[in-house]
Amino acid sequence: MTYVIVGSCIKDDSCIEVCPVDCIHPRVGSPDFESVEQLYIDPVECIDCDACVEACPVDAIFPESELPARHEHARGLNERFFAEQSTVERTAR
Ligand code: SF4
Ligand code: SF4
């Protein structure tokens, strides 16, 4: 299981500050931070600690298994973000 951020994210950075494994991207100051509409959780790195859920001021983070149907598309957006990231990293090598 992992956690999924949905479109109501306001990119205020609260979850990044509390995540113990730094698996929420993009980071403030990184090249793509301004262009993304929301942040995303790396499902491989996430340790399911729940800290980000508590920290989010707009309740935009859900355990994947409890993702409301109206936010179902967020699951695909999250997967696509990290798929594109790995493509960029491979291309950069
Ligand atoms: S559940 Fe924990 S490890 Fe996973 S993104 Fe949230 S704060 Fe980070
Ligand atoms: S705490 Fe919530 S609103 Fe803030 S960046 Fe994280 S997911 Fe988005």
Side-chain angles (χ1 to χ4, degrees), residues 38-90:
Q38 64 166 84
L39 302 191
Y40 300 97
I41 294 172
D42 185 336
V44 176
E45 300 293 328
C46 175
I47 59 169
D48 305 334
C49 73
D50 214 41
C52 55
V53 175
E54 299 295 320
C56 181
V58 295
D59 296 331
I61 308 176
F62 296 88
E64 187 176 10
S65 60
E66 296 173 21
L67 190 64
R70 68 182 184 283
H71 293 307
E72 187 56 39
H73 67 287
R75 193 193 308 265
L77 288 178
N78 190 78
E79 289 170 358
R80 203 173 317 144
F81 176 79
F82 288 103
E84 288 171 2
Q85 288 291 105
S86 60
T87 301
V88 169
E89 284 168 14
R90 279 199 303 275

Side-chain angles (χ1 to χ4, degrees), residues 6-29:
V6 302
S8 48
C9 169
I10 55 172
K11 299 201 304 186
D12 77 328
D13 199 21
S14 299
C15 54
I16 291 180
E17 286 183 12
V18 299
C19 179
V21 294
D22 293 334
C23 69
I24 304 175
H25 302 276
R27 305 277 168 70
V28 179

